[in-house]
């Protein structure tokens, strides 16, 4: 069966510090991968998605970046965090070419920038 | 612009029925999803509608009217564990998901 894991689950970082969130998927190959951010009272905001190794599409220009060094690994990074980067970050995958394209989410990472 | 509207919060009684509405205005339509999200956890998939009508899955049902840009999620025989946020999302003409802000459902004994 397919599983998705992301870490760390929670982190508190000072403004200006770097960030690295990691996500891995098991039990499937060539998945579509996504990074979302969820702010309180707002819908999920798509940050990045990837349809293959090294292929990253950015939906929102900001100080975050994403990389996909391996087929089932997706990393969200920042060189210098801002206060506005605080939020709940979710990694997700879907089956490439699937009719419904439902998303399967990781456990989430809650980031607090102080 | 693209917009998904759903009520911010609803309250219902254990054992009762509740209907959560979702209206959408998107550039194209390629399906509508409902997800459940418990506080502090990730969303989990509940249902998918792409054709008009009602889809039933146990205690949960989802309805779609494409001409009206409208969907609802119906929860029957409510249980305390159904207390959660319910997210409506529409896949647009580019197959990108547009998300509503979610409806927080509070179940009272």
């Amino acid at each position: 069966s397919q599983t998705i894991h992301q870490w760390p689950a929670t982190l508190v970082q000072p403004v200006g510090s770097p960030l690295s969130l990691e996500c891995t998927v098991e039990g499937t190959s060539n998945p579509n991968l996504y990074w979302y951010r969820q702010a309180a009272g707002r819908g999920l905001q798509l940050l990045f998605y990837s349809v293959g190794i090294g292929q990253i599409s950015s939906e929102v220009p900001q100080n975050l970046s994403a990389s996909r060094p391996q087929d089932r690994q997706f990393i969200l990074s920042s060189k210098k965090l801002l206060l506005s980067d605080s939020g709940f970050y979710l990694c997700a995958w879907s089956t490439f070419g699937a009719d419904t394209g439902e998303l399967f989410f990781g456990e989430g990472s809650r980031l607090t920038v102080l | 612009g693209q917009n998904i509207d759903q009520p911010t919060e609803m309250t219902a009684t254990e054992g009762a029925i509740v209907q959560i509405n979702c209206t959408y205005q998107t550039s194209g339509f390629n399906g509508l999803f409902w997800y459940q999200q418990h506080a502090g956890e990730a969303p989990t998939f509940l249902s998918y509608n792409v054709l008009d009508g009602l889809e039933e899955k146990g205690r949960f049902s989802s309805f779609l009217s494409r001409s009206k840009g409208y969907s609802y999620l119906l929860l029957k025989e409510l249980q305390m564990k159904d207390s959660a946020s319910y997210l409506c999302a529409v896949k647009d003409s580019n197959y990108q998901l547009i998300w509503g802000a979610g409806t927080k459902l509070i179940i009272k004994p």
Side-chain angles (χ1 to χ4, degrees), chain B residues 51-79:
Chain B
L51 300 176
D52 289 352
L54 189 69
E55 295 280 343
E56 296 187 78
K57 269 189 183 182
R59 295 189 298 114
F60 293 7
S61 303
S62 57
F63 172 82
L64 174 67
S65 169
R66 288 172 297 172
S67 63
K68 295 182 179 178
Y70 168 70
S71 172
Y72 67 73
L73 180 69
L74 190 71
L75 292 75
K76 302 176 183 177
E77 301 170 14
L78 285 170
Q79 302 175 11

Side-chain angles (χ1 to χ4, degrees), chain A residues 5 13 16-17 19 21 31 33 36 51 54 58 61 64 73-74 92:
Chain A
H5 296 292
Q13 296 284 103
S17 65
L19 171 74
L21 301 179
L33 295 173
Y36 281 92
V51 298
S58 174
L64 299 173
Q73 183 184 26
F74 207 23

